[in-house]
Amino acid sequence: MFITGASIVGAGVKAPRIKTKNLVSVIFCEAVAIYGIIIAIILVQNIDDTTPEDWLDNYNTYIFNGYCLFFAGLLTGMCNLACGICVGIVGSGAALADAQNGELFV
């Protein structure tokens, strides 16, 4: 979002018409963040309360489930980061190209 926002503001000096037209990529970056929050809420629902006796009986299962939830959240965050960077780079290129040639986009 930072990459796209900086390009829109910078290119908006040369061509003010692109400020509102190229906000779609910023909205896509925010949508990716919302997907990450939704996954976090889904993952939190999988955490159960345990008793000390139950913990000792099923120790390996709880450790495995904890690692699974941790790495699922970590993978979701890394995918959201990569997707956000890609959307930012594409949005930046689109904003700069639209500033140079107004006939590229409708």
Side-chain angles (χ1 to χ4, degrees):
M1 204 157 69
F2 176 74
I3 298 169
T4 303
S7 295
I8 290 174
V9 170
V13 173
K14 180 181 177 189
R17 63 182 163 68
I18 72 162
K19 288 181 185 176
T20 56
K21 189 188 297 186
N22 289 307
L23 285 178
V24 175
S25 58
V26 174
I27 294 169
F28 283 150
C29 288
E30 291 175 5
V32 169
I34 291 171
Y35 291 146
I37 292 171
I38 291 170
I39 295 296
I41 291 170
I42 291 171
L43 290 176
V44 166
Q45 299 301 320
N46 291 329
I47 298 174
D48 296 328
D49 291 334
T50 62
T51 61
E53 296 82 23
D54 192 31
W55 173 257
L56 293 175
D57 293 339
N58 298 320
Y59 177 77
N60 289 335
T61 303
Y62 287 122
I63 293 296
F64 178 75
N65 289 342
Y67 278 121
C68 285
L69 288 174
F70 173 73
F71 284 111
L74 188 66
L75 183 64
T76 300
M78 292 171 78
C79 289
N80 283 342
L81 178 67
C83 183
I85 289 172
C86 291
V87 168
I89 291 171
V90 169
S92 172
L96 294 175
D98 188 21
Q100 289 179 355
N101 185 2
E103 296 175 0
L104 289 177
F105 297 104
V106 177

